[in-house]
Amino acid sequence: LVTVSDFSPLVPAEPILYRVRDIIGFNTVTFDTMGEYDHVSVIGRDDGSMEVNVIDAEELILPGTVDDVDFFFINPGPHTDVGLAGARRASATSLTEVHFDGTTNVVVNGGGGTSLDILTVSGTDGDDAIALENIGEGDASVATSFGPDIQILAFGSEGSIVSLEGQGGDDAFSIEALDTIHVLANGGDPTASDHVVVKGTALDDVMQAGQLGPHSAVVIVNAQAPITITAAELLTIDGRTGNDVFTVLGDFDDNTIELTPGATNDAGDIQVDSQLPMKFTNLGAGGNVLIESALGDDTLVYNGTAATDAFTVGAATVFLDARVPVSTSNVGDYQLRGLGGDDTFTVQALSLIHI
């Protein structure tokens, strides 16, 4: 089923121009809307045997099914309004491919309900920018440097996934956590300088990063669905200036966690062994960093600055000047490095922590 409707800012009802049902015996069907503000909705065939071409439609809509598993993908073309989309509805045995040209917005509607829906958005072999935004009510939008805007609506509530694939090049991801949709961000090859920024909200957030590897991490924001990062070279946690708590989770080995102050009092760099480098920023004046060990014998290395610093240690927490405090859980050793300047250290003896 294909539905073509005409949209104009002056006519909000979006009158339907025509519907086409039961297209039988064709390998390829082309819809040329020949103008702006047209919407084309394509429901995939069960056998996926038909190729659909959509030309000059402002918006392409891919509907899914209620309470069932649907698969979608969007691949880039040579221009930002050209590409390939696909849908495999729950009852289908293969994908229906939709080639679009002249499209600036793609709507992927999972149909709602339970079960899961999966969308894969692929980048190019160049340097891409991919931004995923939580727009509320369980929905999301994706803006890229290489393709049309994407709206993600009514995905199933049980384990749905949005996979952002950077492919080649040095890619930049900006991601907001979603309520029930698991986000995957894959920087792709080469593993050179792909950067993932995970954003909190303007409120007080609880954010954590764990399951660290040399190029990977899992980030959780406010008990929302996880964000899994692979093939990346830098992770930045942006609290967006709430009074945020950022927790770094160690593993079961003996970890060395090195923290270096950033340009502002609520910013810094964190390196856990040789795992994925991390930055935090905009935690807010009432923010806090928590280093939480698993079962290993972990060490916190806290670097000062080139200026005159004042370190204060008490109650398993390190204070450096007016910077956000750094608290620890199950960390056995502190190493405080004053570096340059005339530094002072005020230390309270702590049980089970060697300073």
Side-chain angles (χ1 to χ4, degrees):
L1 169 64
V2 176
T3 300
V4 180
S5 60
D6 190 33
F7 171 77
S8 168
L10 302 178
V11 186
E14 298 186 22
I16 294 174
L17 299 180
Y18 55 86
R19 286 191 175 104
V20 182
R21 297 177 182 269
D22 299 327
I23 304 171
I24 300 172
F26 290 87
N27 295 322
T28 302
V29 175
T30 298
F31 296 88
D32 189 343
T33 65
M34 303 181 70
E36 296 181 348
Y37 305 121
D38 296 310
H39 297 195
V40 176
S41 175
V42 179
I43 297 177
R45 289 176 59 113
D46 284 348
D47 60 5
S49 61
M50 183 179 298
E51 179 182 291
V52 180
N53 298 312
V54 176
I55 301 173
D56 285 339
E58 184 78 6
E59 184 171 85
L60 170 65
I61 303 169
L62 303 175
T65 50
V66 180
D67 292 331
D68 222 328
V69 181
D70 302 305
F71 296 88
F72 307 92
F73 75 84
I74 301 173
N75 292 343
H79 307 290
T80 58
D81 61 351
V82 178
L84 174 65
R88 177 180 170 183
R89 288 162 58 85
S91 59
T93 57
S94 62
L95 285 160
T96 295
E97 293 187 347
V98 182
H99 297 261
F100 58 86
D101 187 338
T103 297
T104 59
N105 192 52
V106 177
V107 177
V108 181
N109 190 318
T114 57
S115 192
L116 64 91
D117 300 296
I118 298 174
L119 167 65
T120 300
V121 178
S122 296
T124 72
D125 287 332
D127 299 343
D128 298 323
I130 304 174
L132 183 144
E133 180 182 356
N134 184 335
I135 59 176
E137 304 298 328
D139 299 330
S141 66
V142 178
T144 72
S145 59
F146 52 81
D149 292 335
I150 302 166
Q151 289 180 282
I152 303 166
L153 307 178
F155 266 37
S157 60
E158 301 293 335
S160 288
I161 297 171
V162 172
S163 180
L164 308 175
E165 302 289 332
Q167 308 293 355
D170 298 331
D171 304 312
F173 298 82
S174 173
I175 299 173
E176 296 179 2
L178 305 178
D179 295 343
T180 60
I181 302 175
H182 184 180
V183 179
L184 310 179
N186 181 4
D189 292 329
T191 52
S193 56
D194 298 306
H195 183 193
V196 179
V197 178
V198 175
K199 294 184 174 182
T201 71
L203 303 176
D204 299 348
D205 298 315
V206 177
M207 313 173 74
Q208 71 174 39
Q211 301 183 40
L212 299 171
H215 299 281
S216 61
V218 176
V219 178
I220 297 177
V221 180
N222 296 331
Q224 294 173 297
I227 300 167
T228 298
I229 299 159
T230 56
E233 286 69 57
L234 178 63
L235 167 63
T236 295
I237 301 296
D238 184 353
R240 300 172 87 171
T241 320
N243 293 317
D244 306 313
V245 177
F246 173 43
T247 300
V248 178
L249 301 177
D251 55 29
F252 293 100
D253 294 328
D254 296 341
N255 301 129
T256 297
I257 302 100
E258 184 172 359
L259 192 154
T260 300
T264 60
N265 286 336
D266 59 352
D269 298 347
I270 295 180
Q271 182 69 56
V272 180
D273 300 326
S274 58
Q275 311 294 22
L276 178 66
M278 291 182 287
K279 293 180 177 289
F280 62 89
T281 187
N282 297 324
L283 297 186
N288 185 63
V289 175
L290 172 61
I291 309 298
E292 187 171 317
S293 173
L295 297 178
D297 183 12
D298 292 352
T299 298
L300 168 64
V301 178
Y302 197 164
N303 296 317
T305 71
T308 298
D309 297 318
F311 285 89
T312 302
V313 178
T317 301
V318 182
F319 299 88
L320 174 59
D321 300 323
R323 297 181 178 275
V324 293
V326 178
S327 302
T328 65
S329 176
N330 300 320
V331 173
D333 293 278
Y334 290 174
Q335 294 182 14
L336 310 179
R337 298 175 174 173
L339 302 180
D342 298 326
D343 306 313
T344 60
F345 298 84
T346 303
V347 178
Q348 173 188 338
L350 301 175
S351 176
L352 303 179
I353 299 179
H354 178 257
I355 302 173

